[in-house]
Amino acid sequence: MSSHREAPEISLDPVADSTDVYAFVSPDNTDTVTLIANYIPLQNPAGGPMFYEFGDEVTYEIHISNGKNKKKSDSDITYQFRFFKQLRSDKTFLYNVGPINSLDDKNWIRPQFYNVARIKNGKKKMIAKRLACPPVNVGPRSTPDYAKLAKQAVHQVGNHKFFAGQRADAFHVDLGSIFDLGALRPFNEAHLIPLAAMDGINTVQPFNVHSIAIQIPITELTRNGKDAKKVGSNKSVIGVWTSAKRQKARIFNDKQAKFQPSGSWEQVSRLANPLVNEVLIPMAEKDEWNHTVPRFDGRFAKYVNKPELAALLPVLYPGVFPNLAKYGKDRADLNAILLTGIPAGIIPGFQNFTSTREADLLRLNMAIGPSKKPNNLGVVGGDLAGFPNGRRIDDDVVTIELRAIAGLTLPLVDPSFKPDDAASAVTDGTSPNTNLLKEFPYLGQPGSGYDYKPGKVKAS
């Protein structure tokens, strides 16, 4: 998974679990950047009557580093989201008592709202209050026009757009196969324990997530307040990461029959590049990684420089990766992709380098506009507007990172290495989500609980 249930502690706290981060120049408004943070993984659309919602006791944050503070891996700008609910009736067990036709419809018993603060250069300012979330997509009777409700939940506040609510999970991966001893169904026959080859199965397809999306003018993100025009300029590059925080203590109030939080706020989840904690960090250190801020990621760099999966591939697929098996140097290609950004001169016309300080940041060169002919393999596929230059919603990050770990990107930094033939073909065999929107917040409508079937949902 990108970061769905990736660590022992956060797997027990899905409301605070950051699952995916996206950062891209908005295709329909190229003077802006869209940032999306997903939380609450693997939501069964039919999971009522206590349908999924953001945690009122969680602080959700989207962090942007633009290098103004010279550390390159701390937050220069942070957008902070706090949620709260309104219970409109204490006489029913239902989420709604009739069709929900608008965000203020009294039939909706448990609406949720949020406030947004921006912390810039250490100064905190509340920039939006009581913005409404949409309901979850209950079904054709309860939410007969879900697209209309979702559109009502897009809020223009000054020069920012905000959305927070349920969406279809656009991440695609064959979890059932990958976690069955590292198998990829299209290459089943070559596995150490062979089975018949078959197409990949997108295990995430039936499920929803909760998304926080912001559309921000580029001039609000650059360190000098100017537009990003030059690809080669470090002023055009930002690093993005998300976090979730909880207060340190929880005390059970027996009179109210619920826990009450207290104490200082502590980070319990974070995410930038997909699959870092999921695939690269050992089980014993995953919780600590989630609690660490990016500027201290140098201590985890050894797991990027010598990834376990790169050593496992030649074992799991005997004879398929002989060149990879013999490579004993540190993986400078993966270190650049994930921890420092790619310096100028490695890929013609491209760089997203931030600093030699190693930090897991999703780096975006904002001077590179949307591609006229997008390739979901991103930079590996010759499309400089895609991952690891930020991350678009339909970028095939599983295939990109599998091929990078298999050695496809090694010649960029070590011309003496010849990738194995399989490195350019390895994939889990799943396909991008097809129900994406062409406008903000871009993620597709969430699956309806009424229409839910195992393995398939109908967006409405």
Side-chain angles (χ1 to χ4, degrees):
M1 308 179 189
S2 197
S3 240
H4 304 48
R5 296 179 55 80
E6 83 287 353
E9 286 296 322
I10 203 61
S11 69
L12 304 175
D13 187 13
V15 169
D17 190 353
S18 179
T19 70
D20 284 285
V21 182
Y22 302 94
F24 52 91
V25 176
S26 310
D28 56 337
N29 189 358
T30 56
D31 293 330
T32 69
V33 161
T34 295
L35 307 177
I36 301 175
N38 287 349
Y39 294 88
I40 318 177
L42 303 174
Q43 298 178 21
N44 184 323
M50 292 306 302
F51 288 101
Y52 297 89
E53 59 192 9
F54 290 106
D56 290 359
E57 299 172 356
V58 178
T59 294
Y60 301 92
E61 294 179 328
I62 299 177
H63 307 270
I64 300 102
S65 172
N66 59 24
K68 188 166 186 177
N69 66 10
K70 306 301 182 185
K71 292 183 180 180
K72 310 285 188 181
S73 57
D74 285 333
S75 304
D76 297 291
I77 304 168
T78 296
Y79 288 88
Q80 193 176 83
F81 298 79
R82 292 299 311 278
F83 292 83
F84 57 97
K85 291 179 287 290
Q86 175 186 350
L87 190 62
R88 288 178 170 151
S89 172
D90 59 1
K91 305 299 183 185
T92 180
F93 72 92
L94 293 166
Y95 181 78
N96 57 292
V97 293
I100 304 173
N101 293 308
S102 67
L103 299 188
D104 58 0
D105 197 316
K106 293 182 180 179
N107 286 331
W108 183 14
I109 300 303
R110 192 180 168 91
Q112 191 168 41
F113 306 87
Y114 60 102
N115 298 332
V116 186
R118 180 173 59 195
I119 304 169
K120 188 173 183 179
N121 302 324
K123 296 179 180 179
K124 184 174 179 178
K125 180 182 179 181
M126 189 69 65
I127 61 173
K129 291 185 177 181
R130 200 177 171 81
L131 301 182
C133 300
V136 300
N137 192 358
V138 181
R141 296 179 180 89
S142 296
T143 47
D145 190 347
Y146 194 83
K148 183 183 79 170
L149 294 171
K151 195 168 185 178
Q152 290 175 3
V154 174
H155 303 282
Q156 184 78 49
V157 181
N159 58 5
H160 289 58
K161 277 185 182 179
F162 295 101
F163 174 89
Q166 193 179 55
R167 295 280 88 189
D169 195 341
F171 180 60
H172 57 98
V173 63
D174 190 345
L175 297 174
S177 184
I178 287 176
F179 288 128
D180 187 16
L181 293 180
L184 303 168
R185 290 183 211 262
F187 306 96
N188 269 348
E189 293 172 329
H191 194 274
L192 184 66
I193 304 174
L195 295 171
M198 59 185 295
D199 293 335
I201 296 173
N202 180 10
T203 319
V204 183
Q205 176 66 32
F207 302 115
N208 296 326
V209 291
H210 265 59
S211 301
I212 297 172
I214 327 174
Q215 194 168 88
I216 313 168
I218 290 174
T219 53
E220 291 277 348
L221 298 176
T222 54
R223 72 179 76 163
N224 59 2
K226 296 181 180 180
D227 198 7
K229 295 292 186 183
K230 297 180 180 179
V231 173
S233 171
N234 57 10
K235 294 183 178 67
S236 297
V237 179
I238 59 172
V240 179
W241 61 287
T242 64
S243 66
K245 295 178 179 176
R246 283 193 178 275
Q247 288 178 272
K248 201 163 191 175
R250 298 176 74 215
I251 300 171
F252 190 76
N253 185 322
D254 57 352
K255 292 181 180 179
Q256 297 183 11
K258 65 180 182 180
F259 284 98
Q260 291 183 328
S262 64
S264 61
W265 289 90
E266 300 289 340
Q267 180 180 297
V268 297
S269 174
R270 62 139 163 162
L271 187 63
N273 286 292
L275 301 170
V276 171
N277 199 10
E278 188 82 28
V279 174
L280 299 180
I281 307 300
M283 187 78 73
E285 297 185 46
K286 287 180 180 293
D287 293 331
E288 188 173 355
W289 188 93
N290 264 336
H291 186 58
T292 304
V293 294
R295 71 173 184 263
F296 298 120
D297 280 346
R299 60 160 299 179
F300 300 106
K302 58 187 176 182
Y303 303 122
V304 175
N305 296 336
K306 291 189 181 297
E308 181 185 10
L309 183 57
L312 283 174
L313 283 174
V315 176
L316 293 172
Y317 294 90
V320 177
F321 296 100
N323 296 343
L324 182 66
K326 291 183 290 187
Y327 195 80
K329 302 177 187 176
D330 282 355
R331 292 295 300 271
D333 57 327
L334 299 179
N335 189 286
I337 291 168
L338 300 175
L339 296 181
T340 66
I342 299 171
I346 292 179
I347 298 173
F350 177 73
Q351 66 91 21
N352 65 353
F353 183 75
T354 53
S355 171
T356 55
R357 172 176 283 187
E358 295 162 316
D360 177 27
L361 300 172
L362 187 61
R363 294 166 173 86
L364 175 66
N365 191 320
M366 299 180 292
I368 299 175
S371 176
K372 293 180 180 179
K373 295 182 179 180
N375 186 318
N376 66 5
L377 294 180
V379 175
V380 170
D383 183 355
L384 302 182
F387 182 77
N389 185 31
R391 179 185 173 189
R392 298 168 303 194
I393 295 169
D394 56 350
D395 282 341
D396 189 353
V397 293
V398 172
T399 294
I400 295 168
E401 292 197 348
L402 278 173
R403 293 182 182 183
I405 288 173
L408 189 63
T409 55
L410 250 174
L412 294 173
V413 296
D414 187 351
S416 68
F417 180 78
K418 183 180 184 300
D420 298 295
D421 291 341
S424 61
V426 65
T427 177
D428 75 335
T430 60
S431 301
N433 198 309
T434 57
N435 68 338
L436 302 179
L437 305 181
K438 294 182 179 180
E439 59 186 16
F440 183 86
Y442 304 106
L443 288 165
Q445 307 294 359
S448 155
Y450 179 84
D451 295 304
Y452 171 77
K453 295 180 182 179
K456 186 178 182 180
V457 294
K458 177 184 175 183
S460 59

